[in-house]
Structures are given as C-alpha cells and as structure tokens.
C-alpha cells in the first residue's frame, strides 16, 4: 500500500516536472477585484464615496490570486522579481492599477524584495532633500522586504487593447442593430423569466423589466456581497437565474459578429506580438510572464472569441427549443466575476502528446488556456490542447480590423466637414427642415416607447464598468 502511494507520488512529481519543462511562456489577463458599485440600482447611491474604486476585499482577492499563482507556477515564475522576465500592464483606471499592485504583492511577497549592498554607508540612503534622514534601520530596501514592480499603462483614449469598447465610435449602433435582429430571442428570454423579474422587482422596490436591468442590479449585489453590505436573501434558484440572465446580457452586448471580431483584434494582435518571437526562438529578453490588468469587458470579449461562452450555448443549457441536434458545446462559461481571469500557457512539447484525439508532435508549440483556473476545451475539439499554428490560424481568420469595424477613420471626419461646407448655402433651409423632422421623430419615438415598455434600454448600461467612462465622453 505504502509502496503504491510512493510510486503514485513519484509519478505525480515527474508529470509536474514534465509540464514545467514544457511551459515556455504565460500570458495572464484578468478583471480587477471587488469594487464600490456603479450606477444607481438598489443601494448604489448610498456608496458614492467608493464609486468604482477597488475595495479592501478587492485587494485581498487579488493578493490571494497572486499567492496561488506563485504556488501553482513555482519553478517557472522566478522566486523574486526579475525585470527581464515579467511585464505588467494595466488599463489607466484606479481599480485595475491597484488590483495589479495587490496581485504582485502575492506573487512576489514580503521577504523577496531587495537588500542594500554590504557595508553601505548610511549617507548613500539619503534623498536629495534638506535635513534628509534614514527612516529604516534594516538592510532591506523597503519595510518588511517588500518588492515593488513597475505597472505600465496607457490613457483610456487610444488604449484599444484594454479599453476597446470605449474607443469604438459606433459600438452603440452595432449593438442596437444586433438587439433588433435578435428581438424574437430577446422576447422569448424575457417571457421565460417574468417570474424572476417580479421577485427581484419586489425585493428592491423598482421594476426589473428585462435581462439588462437584471444585469445592472446583479452587478450592485455582487459588490455589496463582497463588501460586507446587506443584500436581501434570495433562493438559490433565483440567484442562479440572475447569474444566467447577467451572462446572457453580456453576450448580447458584444456578440454582434463583426463587433466581436473587431473589438478582439487589438488584444490578439498584442498577444501574438508576445508569443510569435518565442515560437520563432527570438525571445531575446527572456520574457516569461505578461500580466494585463483589466475589466470584465476584456474577459468577456476574449471568452466569446475563444468559444468559451455564447448566446447559443447559454440558451441550449436551459431551453429545449434552442438545442440543435449535432451541435456540441465544449465550454459554456458564465459572466466574469471579480478577479475572473484567462491564463494562456504556451508549451513546447518534449515528446509526442495526445489528448482525446488531438495530437501534438515532438518539438511543437501548443497552447493550454485556463478560464478562472479551469482548463478550457480548445479549437472546437474535446481537448484542452491546441497547436500554436492551428490556434494562430483560427484567430487570424476570426479577427477583423478594429478601426474599420468601429468606423474610427480620420478620413471619414474630413469627408463630413467637406460636405458641410459644400452645402452651406442650404444651411438655413436645412435647419428648419431638420427641426421639423426632429420634432416628428421625437413624437414617433415617444409613441413607440409607450408601446414597447420592455424594449431594452441602453441607458441602463451606464453602470457596466468601463461603460461608466464611455458615457462621460
Ligand atoms: C482615481 O482616484 C482619484 C483619487 O485618488 C480620483 O480623484 C479619481 O476620480 C479616480 N479615478 C477614477 C477613474 O475612478
Ligand atoms: C543584511 O542583514 C542581515 C542581518 O541583519 C545579514 O545577515 C545579511 O548578511 C545582510 N545582507 C547584506 C547584503 O548586507
Ligand atoms: C564589510 O565590512 C566587513 C567588516 O568591516 C569587512 O570584513 C568586509 O570585507 C566588508 N565587505 C565589503 C564588501 O566591503
Ligand atoms: C428560473 O428560471 C426558469 C427558466 O430557466 C424559470 O422557469 C423559473 O420560473 C425561474 N425561477 C424563479 C424562481 O424565478
Ligand atoms: C528578433 O528580435 C529582434 C528584436 O527583439 C528583431 O530586431 C529581429 O528582427 C528579430 N529577428 C527575427 C528573425 O525575427
Ligand atoms: C533574470 O532573468 C534573465 C532572463 O531569464 C536571466 O538571464 C537572469 O539570470 C535573471 N536574473 C536573476 C538575478 O536571476
Ligand atoms: C469557434 O467556433 C467557430 C465555429 O462556431 C470556429 O469557426 C472558430 O474557429 C472557433 N474558434 C476557436 C478559437 O476555436
Ligand atoms: C469529452 O471527453 C470526455 C472524456 O474525456 C467525455 O466524458 C465527454 O463526454 C466528452 N464531451 C463531449 C461533449 O463529447
């Protein structure tokens, strides 16, 4: 018995070492930790002082994730910070910057920081400042021997990689078109969940009309639960329904096919900029770990691009009428919670490898991808491995040019100006006509709104993070 146990342990150890030997590079992207609520559902208005900021809980969540990654990737991640091996980038938002700092404290914890050179004279520790003093008596650079790590960022305007939705001019138009196209599915969903909406409406004394409302409300509940605030007690079934509806809402928001393919392009281009040199054996710097600190929008977009989630798989989970005979969904993830993350592992096989029919040759690069720690099925196969070449080809075929999809062209602005000048003689006539048309449209829209109260309302989305900034543009 004991012998068996020992052999099993040895086998496990060998297989761990094997995986470590094959791992070449890790790319991590995640959502920040718990924050103060955004928007105005439930008790959000009572918490304006923490509006969108990372909370104490959020810091702890990312610290814990950092420690876990340090353990799971020990032997691959260096024990102490090495500037050539680690690169960290964050969106320029307080909560993502602070999440990165918190996670890095777990990854390179107190005790792994720098130490002053031997026999250093105290005078060299003093800053250039009148009456300067040395406040730390140990030879640690910083108290408790902590390590600080550089976190790179780019301002929101122009950061297409980490804030693609807020730099996309016609995002709203594309999404609205998609909603119209999917109206019958949306009606079906809202009908199935009437009872759920009623229960939540009663609990918060405000009408929940559709899954976007449910999403906005759930988002405040998620904050409140994480931050130790009171949330009404719901049955597990109601909680599950809310998670499910929030996940659908996310997929409707970004899964207009062109939009999804355009919004993902800057991220994946950046991803391949890191991985291509490794595969071409040109990783001269020795970079091992890239960390992007970002938002639920990013985790959602990438998850949808990689077939980790979709409207179709979510509907098939619950409704017979949306199940198709020969359609298998290997993954179906819910929406990204706080700290939700995607970890791309780039491996180089040192022997032929096989998993459920998918084969990797010796000396071939392949990917494994984790969503929230779980290895996902890749490349439309029932397998968690996919060769780098196949993955690369699939993504290249999938991507559409971001600026084209978003209609962010300079050219277009100039054209509009040009036209305005050409027609300047008709300006006054135009103005009068315009007023009449606007008044007519306003009346028509008013009547339409009266008719279709359950129509999805975009203003409800002002409380989705990253969208909060979008609206202040
Ligand atoms: C970031 O924090 C500062 C205060 O530290 C605050 O003034 C600012 O509004 C915050 N920015 C965002 C985007 O929340
Ligand atoms: C730092 O101080 C500790 C004891 O306080 C000593 O053991 C260690 O050698 C010192 N290291 C350096 C680099 O000075
Ligand atoms: C540090 O000081 C000790 C004691 O004065 C001495 O033996 C040692 O050589 C010094 N080390 C260096 C690197 O200067
Ligand atoms: C939960 O969702 C199902 C549809 O999947 C619905 O039939 C049921 O009424 C909902 N439960 C509650 C308590 O609202
Ligand atoms: C290798 O990378 C360097 C920069 O890091 C670049 O200048 C060079 O062109 C690359 N070589 C190949 C073969 O891609
Ligand atoms: C840091 O990483 C580089 C590249 O992997 C390596 O050559 C170097 O020895 C490392 N430095 C330390 C102090 O471990
Ligand atoms: C996702 O699924 C579609 C088919 O629905 C396929 O064309 C695409 O290549 C898949 N993407 C990846 C990354 O496997
Ligand atoms: C995938 O393979 C596993 C066995 O590794 C099997 O249990 C499962 O049913 C398969 N899933 C699908 C959707 O074929």
């Amino acid at each position: 018995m004991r012998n068996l146990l020992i052999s099993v342990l040895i086998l496990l150890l060998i297989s761990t070492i094997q995986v470590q030997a094959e791992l070449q590079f890790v790319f991590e992207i995640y959502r920040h930790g718990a924050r103060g609520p955004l928007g105005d559902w439930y008790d959000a208005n009572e918490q304006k002082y923490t509006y969108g900021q990372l909370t104490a809980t959020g810091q702890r969540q990312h610290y814990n994730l950092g420690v876990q990654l340090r353990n799971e990737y020990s032997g691959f991640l260096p024990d102490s910070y090495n500037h050539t091996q680690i690169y960290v980038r964050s969106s320029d938002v307080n909560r993502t910057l602070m999440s990165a700092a918190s996670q890095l404290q777990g990854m390179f914890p107190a005790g792994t920081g720098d130490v002053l050179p031997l026999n250093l004279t105290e005078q060299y520790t003093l800053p250039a400042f009148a009456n300067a003093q040395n406040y730390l008596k140990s030879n640690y650079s910083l108290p408790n021997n902590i390590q600080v790590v550089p976190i790179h960022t780019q301002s929101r305007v122009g950061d297409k990689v980490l804030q693609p939705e807020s730099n996309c001019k016609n995002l709203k138009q594309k999404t609205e078109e998609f909603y119209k196209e999917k109206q019958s599915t949306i009606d079906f969903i809202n009908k199935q969940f009437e009872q759920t909406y009623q229960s939540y409406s009663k609990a918060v004394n405000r009408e929940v009309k559709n899954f976007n409302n449910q999403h906005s409300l759930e988002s405040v509940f998620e904050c409140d639960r994480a931050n130790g605030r009171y949330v009404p007690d719901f049955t597990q079934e109601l909680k599950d329904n809310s998670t499910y509806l929030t996940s659908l809402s996310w997929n409707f928001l970004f899964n207009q096919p062109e939009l999804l393919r355009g919004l993902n392009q800057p991220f994946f281009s950046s991803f391949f900029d890191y991985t291509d040199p490794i595969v071409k054996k040109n990783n001269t710097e020795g970079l091992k770990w890239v960390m992007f600190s970002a938002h639920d929008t990013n985790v959602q977009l990438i998850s949808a691009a990689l077939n980790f989630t979709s409207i179709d798989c979510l509907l098939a989970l619950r409704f017979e009428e949306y199940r198709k005979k020969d359609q298998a969904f290997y993954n179906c993830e819910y929406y990204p919670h706080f700290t939700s993350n995607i970890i791309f592992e780039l491996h180089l096989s040192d022997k032929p490898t096989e998993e459920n029919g998918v084969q990797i040759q010796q000396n071939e690069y392949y990917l494994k991808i984790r969503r929230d720690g779980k290895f996902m099925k890749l490349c439309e196969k029932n397998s968690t491995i996919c060769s780098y070449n196949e993955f690369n080809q699939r993504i290249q075929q999938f991507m559409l040019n971001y600026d084209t999809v978003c209609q962010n062209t300079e050219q277009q602005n100039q054209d509009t100006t040009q036209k305005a000048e050409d027609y300047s003689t008709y300006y006054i006539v135009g103005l009068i006509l315009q007023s009449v048309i606007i008044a007519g449209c306003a009346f028509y829209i008013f009547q339409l709104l009266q008719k279709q109260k359950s129509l999805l309302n975009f203003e409800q989305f002002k409380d989705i993070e990253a969208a909060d900034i979008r609206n202040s543009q």
Side-chain angles (χ1 to χ4, degrees):
M1 188 63 203
R2 175 184 268 181
N3 279 349
L4 185 73
L5 207 72
I6 289 172
S7 3
V8 167
L9 276 178
I10 288 173
L11 266 175
L12 272 177
L13 197 69
I14 289 172
S15 64
T16 318
I17 290 167
Q18 200 79 51
V19 166
Q20 290 291 350
E22 296 197 347
L23 188 57
Q24 304 292 309
F25 177 74
V26 170
F27 188 106
E28 181 198 4
I29 182 166
Y30 54 80
R31 184 190 183 193
H32 58 75
R35 55 160 166 76
L38 299 166
D40 60 2
W41 280 84
Y42 189 51
D43 64 350
N45 282 329
E46 297 161 27
Q47 302 176 63
K48 286 290 181 207
Y49 59 98
T50 72
Y51 192 84
Q53 303 298 306
L54 193 72
T55 61
T57 309
Q59 294 169 45
R60 176 65 66 84
Q61 290 174 325
H62 267 292
Y63 171 78
N64 283 336
L65 181 54
V67 174
Q68 182 146 3
L69 293 177
R70 178 181 174 83
N71 293 337
E72 290 198 15
Y73 291 90
S74 83
F76 179 74
L77 259 180
D79 289 334
S80 57
Y81 172 67
N82 178 330
H83 68 93
T84 64
Q85 297 181 342
I86 317 286
Y87 182 84
V88 184
R89 172 173 172 178
S90 171
S91 69
D92 189 15
V93 177
N94 290 350
R95 57 181 174 273
T96 49
L97 290 159
M98 286 174 69
S99 290
S102 304
Q103 190 177 126
L104 287 162
Q105 283 304 311
M107 208 173 246
F108 302 109
T112 69
D114 286 324
V115 179
L116 296 176
L118 217 58
N119 298 353
L120 187 75
T121 316
E122 199 171 41
Q123 75 182 91
Y124 292 108
T125 67
L126 302 182
F129 201 85
N131 302 320
Q133 291 177 50
N134 178 26
Y135 294 97
L136 199 59
K137 292 304 167 195
S138 78
N139 59 7
Y140 295 148
S141 301
L142 296 170
N144 306 316
N145 196 215
I146 63 163
Q147 174 69 52
V148 290
V149 176
I151 299 168
H152 301 264
T153 193
Q154 256 184 42
S155 74
R156 180 184 60 80
V157 177
D159 187 358
K160 298 172 187 176
V161 173
L162 294 184
Q163 302 201 270
E165 78 296 338
S166 82
N167 284 288
C168 182
K169 226 184 244 168
N170 64 345
L171 171 79
K172 199 170 154 175
Q173 187 196 325
K174 283 266 177 217
T175 306
E176 275 169 346
E177 277 168 24
F178 188 56
Y179 276 40
K180 273 206 201 96
E181 192 188 306
K182 292 276 175 188
Q183 192 61 53
S184 65
T185 310
I186 291 171
D187 291 342
F188 171 83
I189 296 164
N190 285 332
K191 192 152 170 36
Q192 298 302 312
F193 290 92
E194 261 169 16
Q195 207 184 315
T196 307
Y197 298 149
Q198 272 171 26
S199 304
Y200 277 94
S201 301
K202 226 170 96 189
V204 299
N205 200 18
R206 174 171 170 185
E207 197 187 356
V208 177
K209 294 179 203 155
N210 51 50
F211 55 69
N212 285 349
N213 289 169
Q214 187 70 46
H215 174 174
S216 303
L217 177 57
E218 183 60 34
S219 154
V220 176
F221 282 158
E222 191 189 3
C223 297
D224 284 350
R225 289 188 182 111
N227 296 325
R229 290 179 66 95
Y230 173 78
V231 171
D233 213 10
F234 296 103
T235 62
Q236 193 57 46
E237 184 181 342
L238 276 171
K239 283 190 203 165
D240 291 346
N241 281 9
S242 189
T243 303
Y244 179 80
L245 287 164
T246 304
S247 308
L248 272 176
S249 166
W250 268 114
N251 279 285
F252 274 99
L253 193 58
F254 291 123
N255 288 17
Q256 195 278 340
E258 278 174 37
L259 193 62
L260 186 65
R261 297 169 69 176
L263 291 180
N264 266 297
Q265 182 254 311
F267 169 78
F268 279 107
S269 297
S270 166
F271 174 81
F272 289 123
D273 283 347
Y274 287 109
T275 54
D276 279 346
I278 295 168
V279 172
K280 290 183 183 138
K281 310 266 186 229
N282 193 24
N283 183 20
T284 46
E285 299 274 294
L287 194 60
K288 283 183 130 177
W289 192 288
V290 170
M291 176 191 292
F292 278 13
S293 183
H295 303 267
D296 44 8
T297 42
N298 308 87
V299 176
Q300 168 65 31
L301 280 169
I302 298 164
S303 295
L306 298 180
N307 298 329
F308 296 168
T309 187
S310 65
I311 295 170
D312 289 346
C313 85
L314 286 166
L315 287 174
L317 273 184
R318 287 200 175 199
F319 303 108
E320 194 67 52
E321 23 314 42
Y322 284 88
R323 255 167 241 157
K324 287 178 199 135
K325 266 213 183 79
D326 32 57
Q327 196 171 24
F329 295 104
Y330 294 115
N331 311 294
C332 199
E333 292 298 296
Y334 287 147
Y335 76 95
H337 292 83
F338 294 132
T339 68
S340 185
N341 53 83
I342 298 179
I343 295 175
F344 297 79
E345 296 182 359
L346 180 61
H347 296 263
L348 176 60
S349 67
D350 51 18
K351 59 173 189 324
T353 305
E354 194 263 357
E355 187 194 306
N356 259 353
V358 173
Q359 303 195 349
I360 304 292
Q361 312 303 315
Q362 186 167 6
N363 283 324
E364 192 179 6
Y365 281 93
Y366 67 97
L367 282 162
K368 296 184 82 165
I369 306 178
R370 307 172 81 174
R371 161 80 195 257
D372 304 342
K374 193 169 66 176
F375 286 98
M376 306 305 291
K377 300 292 169 67
L378 303 182
C379 300
E380 293 185 279
K381 300 265 167 46
N382 192 9
S383 166
T384 62
I385 57 180
C386 181
S387 80
Y388 182 77
N389 281 343
E390 177 173 354
F391 181 81
N392 186 307
Q393 262 170 27
R394 281 173 182 267
I395 299 296
Q396 299 299 343
Q397 277 169 16
F398 170 81
M399 289 193 291
L400 290 178
N401 182 277
Y402 174 82
D403 288 314
T404 310
V405 170
C406 291
Q407 292 178 6
N408 288 342
T409 50
E410 289 295 319
Q411 190 56 43
Q412 211 183 24
N413 295 341
Q414 281 162 8
D415 285 354
T416 326
T417 327
Q418 191 64 43
K419 269 187 199 134
E421 278 160 15
D422 292 346
Y423 295 108
S424 60
T425 27
Y426 299 107
Y427 183 68
I428 301 289
V429 181
L431 203 67
I432 294 166
L433 265 176
Q434 198 185 352
S435 311
V436 172
I437 291 167
I438 287 173
C441 285
F443 183 68
Y444 176 73
I445 289 168
F446 175 75
Q447 287 203 318
L448 205 69
L449 282 180
Q450 292 297 94
K451 252 190 261 169
Q452 296 182 293
K453 273 203 162 159
S454 73
L455 206 70
L456 295 170
N457 178 0
F458 271 86
E459 293 320 303
Q460 299 299 348
F461 271 109
K462 65 175 175 283
D463 52 359
I464 288 183
E465 57 181 90
D468 59 324
I469 314 165
R470 176 164 83 233
N471 280 332
S472 66
Q473 260 181 289

